Amino acid sequence: MKKKRKWIKWAVLAVVVLAIAAWLWAVSKTTQEVAYTQVPVTTGSITTYYNFDGLVRAGRVQTVNAAAAGTVRTVYVSENQQVEKGERLYRMEDGTTVEADIAGEVTSLPIEAGDVVTAGQKTCEIIDMSRLKVELNVDEYDVGAVTPGTSVQVTVLAKDASFEGTVTALDKNGTASGDLSYYTATVEIGDAEGVYPGMQVNAKVLRGHAENVATLKVDAINFDEYNKPYVLVRTAEGQEPEKVPVTVGVSDGLYAEIVSGVSAGDTVLRRSGMSMAELMEQMRESNSGAR
């Protein structure tokens, strides 16, 4: 009888141990399901750009100043009129005739017949609107991206219009501002209807492109103490995820190209970032729903 009781005692203990083990396994499984989110590795394309700010500038400007004091006899043009190179602008009482040195638009004409002008006074301004350019403000870390010949997409903010241009010059005499030095890159955009000197622009220069590659959301990529990227992969149900090193290529801040480590079609895990209290609450709600 004693042996039978002993056997029953051990059997009950074994059942209890198995029940506890099963409960712990279930808790571990549920905790992992709540603590991690599955993220697929997909196939896609990523394009990234350098972004710069700048201003529209006139390619050619003629500012006419009075050579000597005198009285204006005749004015041959008016503001906003198009003139050709060599066309008469105005004539002084002494017979001096002033002509346009460039073809363009008369954008300023602060004189009229009978006015008395002083030497050096501004009398006319002509801007060649067919040769507009953009001057971009480029910091010292990105200056290598705007070498002459580089293609640039320019967006004029006020017009919400985009133009294709090419870097024609880079002023290598930088200007310090705070902790950085800035350089001026010039981009020719030609004749842009409705665009005027002084308008603000945003410009994009291609930085990197990857076509039909394995891509992954950047928030699923982790970094170790040596700043080496890795992802978490579940190797067996109920087990802690394994760290798998990956090589990252082009990234646009939302998605990143995965060169090696995992492939399109794989699934990695992203930590949920929940606290233990939040995990236990999620488990309680999950168990309540199951019943």
Side-chain angles (χ1 to χ4, degrees):
M1 181 64 93
K2 288 183 178 181
K3 287 184 178 181
K4 185 175 181 180
R5 288 178 179 175
K6 188 174 182 180
W7 179 85
I8 292 173
K9 179 180 178 181
W10 281 107
V12 171
L13 182 61
V15 170
V16 171
V17 169
L18 287 173
I20 293 174
W23 180 81
L24 289 174
W25 181 86
V27 169
S28 175
K29 182 174 182 295
T30 303
T31 301
Q32 286 198 32
E33 290 176 350
V34 175
Y36 298 97
T37 302
Q38 293 187 350
V39 181
V41 183
T42 58
T43 299
S45 300
I46 300 175
T47 303
T48 61
Y49 298 91
Y50 293 96
N51 287 279
F52 306 108
D53 295 322
L55 294 174
V56 178
R57 300 292 190 191
R60 293 192 302 176
V61 179
Q62 179 188 358
T63 300
V64 182
N65 298 315
T71 302
V72 178
R73 178 178 178 180
T74 308
V75 178
Y76 300 106
V77 296
S78 59
E79 283 194 10
N80 302 123
Q81 178 182 330
Q82 295 291 327
V83 297
E84 298 297 327
K85 181 179 179 180
E87 187 171 339
R88 294 182 303 173
L89 301 175
Y90 63 89
R91 185 177 183 182
M92 301 295 292
E93 285 287 358
D94 64 2
T96 303
T97 300
V98 178
E99 300 177 346
D101 291 339
I102 64 172
E105 180 180 333
V106 177
T107 56
S108 177
L109 188 67
I111 59 170
E112 57 185 32
D115 284 351
V116 177
V117 297
T118 58
Q121 179 181 333
K122 178 180 176 180
T123 55
C124 183
E125 182 177 76
I126 302 170
I127 295 179
D128 182 357
M129 293 291 190
S130 68
R131 299 184 61 177
L132 295 178
K133 62 182 180 179
V134 168
E135 292 183 351
L136 302 178
N137 203 27
V138 183
D139 72 49
E140 58 190 286
Y141 291 101
D142 295 336
V143 70
V146 290
T147 55
T150 301
S151 296
V152 183
Q153 184 179 44
V154 176
T155 299
V156 181
L157 302 182
K159 305 297 292 184
D160 194 23
S162 295
F163 305 90
E164 295 297 327
T166 303
V167 176
T168 56
L170 174 65
D171 184 353
K172 297 180 180 178
N173 186 21
T175 302
S177 178
D179 296 331
L180 292 174
S181 287
Y182 290 86
Y183 300 82
T184 300
T186 301
V187 178
E188 297 286 349
I189 61 172
D191 185 4
E193 185 178 356
V195 176
Y196 306 130
M199 286 186 172
Q200 298 186 42
V201 304
N202 175 262
K204 296 196 304 184
V205 174
L206 182 64
R207 186 170 193 164
H209 179 71
E211 188 80 21
N212 295 324
V213 296
T215 61
L216 180 64
K217 286 187 174 181
V218 295
D219 59 5
I221 302 174
N222 308 281
F223 293 87
D224 62 19
E225 63 272 25
Y226 303 105
N227 205 32
K228 300 294 185 181
Y230 69 90
V231 295
L232 297 174
V233 176
R234 179 169 289 155
T235 56
E237 193 171 0
Q239 298 296 318
E240 281 296 315
E242 178 185 344
K243 293 182 178 180
V244 176
V246 293
T247 302
V248 178
V250 178
S251 175
D252 61 6
L254 183 60
Y255 285 88
E257 173 193 8
I258 303 300
V259 179
S260 65
V262 292
S263 304
D266 292 342
T267 299
V268 304
L269 300 177
R270 179 183 62 215
R271 292 186 178 91
S272 67
M274 291 185 179
S275 65
M276 183 55 68
E278 290 172 326
L279 288 174
M280 296 305 292
E281 179 63 21
Q282 283 274 43
M283 289 170 56
R284 187 187 66 78
E285 292 178 357
S286 177
N287 291 332
S288 297
R291 290 197 297 270

